[in-house]
Amino acid sequence: MIDGDNAVRRSGLAPIRLTGEHNRDWEGAVWIGQIDLNELADPGSEGDPAPDSRRELVDGNGFHEARVLVWEDRRPLGFVEIPVTDGAIDDTVLYDRARTLPMPPPLPEPIERPGISVVVCTRDRPDHLARLLDSVGALDYPEFEVVVVDNNPASGLTAPVVESCPSAQVRLVCAVGQGLSIARNVGLRSAKYGLVAFTDDDVVLDRNWLSHLVIGFERDEDVACVCGMVPSAEVTTPAQAYFDTRVGWAERWTPALYGMGRHTGDDELFPLRVSEFGTGANFAVRRDVVVDLGGFDEALGAGSAAGSGEDMDIFVRILLAGRLVAREPAALVWHSHRETVAELEKQMYGYGVGLSAMIFKLLVHPRTGLLVTRRLAVGIRHLGAVTETRPSPAIDAEPALAQLRRKEFAGVIHGPWQFLRGRLEGRSGAPLRTSRGLMGLLDFRHGQVWGDLGNSILEGRLAAVALWIGLVGAVGATMILPGVLQAAAVAAFVVLGPGSLVMSFGQFPVYVRLALIPVVGLAFCIVAVTVPLMAGFWNPAVVLGVSSAVTALGGFGRGARLASEVVRA
């Protein structure tokens, strides 16, 4: 027990984030901070803490429990939970509990300190971004830049925050197309260094974050991705407490390497249990590896129909490419979770959608379909276990939290369709990949990102449709197909072929183009039939063949033209 009158009062321990009096009305709120084990030792007693020692917690009044991350020699050992009395904790209790934490292996010093590009993707959250940029100034690393990617530049909310940042290392780039994956790809293209670290706008960075990420890359030459820990910056509401126990972003404090050739078989879900590695709020990649993979899948991630999953997808793709993923617990950022049930409900639904969208993508791919099929039963059991709602003070305070499991499962059910929606919208799975040879001649993207100002992606897709549907029509003109297929080929050509070619020109809105495609196609075919009839010639196979050839050649020419214009630009 702490004796407040006779205790030896220690210097105040600062929280990760100041919460303010109005944010601790809930009895279950937890004060969160960190301390080095050496700070707990009293040199006068050969390393043991002073008896009856009392340490004040800055901003600690009103809390009944504290969670303290204990460090030793630059290594995080884990969290200690300790009672709070009158805004203070007992150092003796903290020291005793800290000594029971497992001791991870020594942390090596970085051999080199290469330049790093830090990419922060944000959308209309100026307060969060300002807090993050404040922590950038404390980073202890010799050479880095911060690329802030504004995913909604039209709002004008992000630019003033970046302009007011005193650090010359921070610059702003814009990603007009909506979606976190699109913003990440813009960040990759804009990065000037070979190592690119991604984090969110709602985190606080540890000052040694970048140095510790570099250690992960140096553990093996095949490491292409390093993930760090993402503990909670504060737990002041029932929603934050629920999410804090739901995710495993700060549970594994031992460094590890993951690879397809290193898997020992003890995890039946590997490589799909990506929470073992990390999460999208804290990871770094080798830029050339991810660009070679085509970048982040535009159909996944916040802002897309799928809502999330782009981080899980890129981790798995890196592993399937034969590279290694490293878990480096000392590379740490502190995350602020959603504060209300309504915010969390939307997030958990999005997590469910993104998870099943990513799994569906792997399931329908010939290379990974069998891998996923073998893990489906185990995965379903695992999902049921991790989403199980257990009694807790958070649920007692907010009973609506108990219904979040249903929202997450609803998201899982909708995931495959939402992924297909993204593909139908034209969102690419490998937007940064550049084709070569004949395919390169028709590669109308050439690194363009969906939503880039002046991009020709839609025009290129329409030209490609014209090319392929023209070929379908040409096959139909040979009269070798069975009756039903013959009719289907002709109908597809009439509805999609000529109209797609014509609509690949001009600057009409998307919905106007799509609505006019069948109208233009039908008009073209009426003219193609009427002109020969008026000239006294009628041969349906010849008319269809010529029309199909014109459409296919026109689509090929239009696609090649668009590709050449992108290359010149």
Side-chain angles (χ1 to χ4, degrees):
M1 178 179 293
I2 298 177
D3 183 346
D5 295 328
N6 300 315
V8 179
R9 305 181 76 86
R10 298 298 184 94
S11 58
L13 190 62
I16 300 303
R17 182 187 171 194
L18 293 171
T19 59
E21 293 285 348
H22 67 283
N23 279 335
R24 63 189 78 148
D25 297 335
W26 179 47
E27 286 289 317
V30 180
W31 185 97
I32 298 178
Q34 58 184 336
I35 194 169
D36 192 281
L37 192 59
N38 294 328
E39 294 182 42
L40 294 173
D42 184 348
S45 58
E46 298 182 355
D48 293 328
D52 300 322
S53 58
R54 173 183 171 91
R55 187 181 297 269
E56 297 287 344
L57 300 180
V58 176
D59 197 35
N61 288 325
F63 288 97
H64 302 286
E65 182 181 353
R67 181 188 302 169
V68 182
L69 178 62
V70 180
W71 295 77
E72 185 183 55
D73 193 22
R74 301 181 300 116
R75 300 168 298 175
L77 307 184
F79 281 104
V80 166
E81 296 187 350
I82 186 171
V84 178
T85 303
D86 296 330
I89 58 174
D90 188 336
D91 260 8
T92 303
V93 176
L94 178 58
Y95 180 82
D96 289 342
R97 295 183 181 181
R99 296 302 294 175
T100 66
L101 295 172
M103 193 67 63
L107 190 68
E109 288 285 347
I111 299 173
E112 298 179 355
R113 293 180 182 267
I116 300 179
S117 296
V118 177
V119 173
V120 181
C121 303
T122 186
R123 182 180 176 88
D124 299 345
R125 299 208 293 184
D127 294 339
H128 287 84
L129 180 62
R131 189 162 56 242
L132 167 70
L133 294 181
D134 284 343
S135 66
V136 166
L139 286 174
D140 183 16
Y141 198 77
E143 186 177 3
F144 70 95
E145 64 166 350
V146 179
V147 181
V148 177
V149 184
D150 185 357
N151 202 209
N152 187 25
S155 72
L157 295 175
T158 299
V161 178
V162 176
E163 291 167 0
S164 65
C165 181
S167 176
Q169 299 151 309
V170 180
R171 58 189 174 96
L172 178 69
V173 297
C174 295
V176 179
Q178 182 175 338
L180 180 54
S181 284
I182 291 173
R184 291 195 193 277
N185 287 330
V186 169
L188 272 177
R189 291 191 314 178
S190 304
K192 70 177 182 179
Y193 296 118
L195 297 183
V196 181
F198 289 93
T199 191
D200 291 349
D201 59 7
D202 52 359
V203 306
V204 175
L205 306 174
D206 181 78
R207 66 188 305 269
N208 294 312
W209 176 52
L210 295 179
S211 298
H212 292 161
L213 284 175
V214 169
I215 292 173
F217 285 106
E218 292 180 345
R219 290 189 183 275
D220 192 289
E221 61 181 8
D222 286 331
V223 171
C225 176
V226 178
C227 299
M229 294 291 100
V230 187
S232 302
E234 79 276 329
V235 176
T236 59
T237 70
Q240 289 181 326
Y242 175 90
F243 190 79
D244 177 69
T245 58
R246 170 66 180 79
V247 297
W249 294 352
E251 295 179 350
R252 302 165 182 84
W253 299 102
T254 302
L257 292 176
Y258 299 90
M260 299 303 293
R262 292 172 174 256
H263 178 49
T264 60
D266 54 340
D267 183 359
E268 296 178 292
L269 276 176
F270 183 85
L272 304 181
R273 196 201 305 265
V274 294
S275 60
E276 283 282 325
F277 323 142
T279 184
N282 181 10
F283 71 103
V285 297
R286 294 194 185 276
R287 181 180 182 274
D288 57 345
V289 172
V290 176
V291 170
D292 286 345
L293 290 174
F296 294 86
D297 190 328
E298 295 172 336
L300 300 172
S304 70
S308 66
E310 88 295 340
D311 49 352
M312 299 182 287
D313 176 68
I314 201 65
F315 297 159
V316 173
R317 286 162 60 196
I318 287 172
L319 289 169
L320 293 176
R323 304 303 293 263
L324 301 181
V325 173
R327 184 179 71 222
E328 199 62 51
L332 189 144
V333 305
W334 300 85
H335 185 263
S336 296
H337 303 321
R338 305 296 195 272
E339 295 184 4
T340 67
V341 176
E343 291 175 317
L344 188 57
E345 183 178 82
K346 181 179 179 181
Q347 184 180 23
M348 298 309 293
Y349 173 80
Y351 279 2
V353 174
L355 172 64
S356 64
M358 187 271 291
I359 296 297
F360 178 75
K361 171 187 174 179
L362 296 174
L363 184 63
V364 298
H365 195 284
R367 182 185 174 191
T368 53
L370 183 59
L371 179 146
V372 174
T373 301
R374 289 174 173 172
R375 292 159 174 78
L376 272 181
V378 176
I380 292 171
R381 290 197 300 270
H382 173 72
L383 180 64
V386 298
T387 59
E388 183 179 354
T389 303
R390 298 176 178 86
S392 69
I395 292 178
D396 292 341
E398 288 279 8
L401 290 170
Q403 305 303 316
L404 291 184
R405 188 187 198 200
R406 294 183 181 180
K407 294 295 294 186
E408 193 167 0
F409 282 163
V412 170
I413 293 172
H414 293 152
W417 163 240
Q418 300 296 1
F419 175 76
L420 292 175
R421 270 189 60 194
R423 286 289 185 263
L424 291 173
E425 290 173 359
R427 294 174 179 264
S428 172
L432 301 186
R433 181 176 295 156
T434 301
S435 303
R436 296 175 175 82
L438 178 60
M439 293 303 295
L441 180 65
L442 294 174
D443 185 1
F444 49 83
R445 287 193 71 124
H446 274 291
Q448 294 183 98
V449 174
W450 189 259
D452 278 354
L453 292 175
N455 79 83
S456 58
I457 295 173
L458 178 59
E459 290 84 355
R461 288 190 177 277
L462 291 174
V465 170
L467 168 60
W468 292 110
I469 295 297
L471 294 176
V472 169
V475 173
T478 62
M479 303 298 179
I480 62 174
L481 297 175
V484 175
L485 293 180
Q486 178 85 19
V490 173
F493 174 76
V494 172
V495 173
L496 297 175
S500 295
L501 176 59
V502 173
M503 287 296 105
S504 70
F505 294 88
Q507 299 296 322
F508 299 104
V510 175
Y511 64 89
V512 173
R513 296 192 202 217
L514 297 180
L516 288 178
I517 284 174
V519 176
V520 172
L522 185 59
F524 173 89
C525 292
I526 290 174
V527 172
V529 171
T530 302
V531 170
L533 282 175
M534 293 179 65
F537 173 79
W538 176 241
N539 187 321
V542 172
V543 172
L544 179 59
V546 172
S547 300
S548 299
V550 169
T551 301
L553 291 174
F556 179 86
R558 176 64 171 154
R561 174 75 176 178
L562 290 170
S564 66
E565 289 175 350
V566 174
V567 172
R568 285 201 302 270

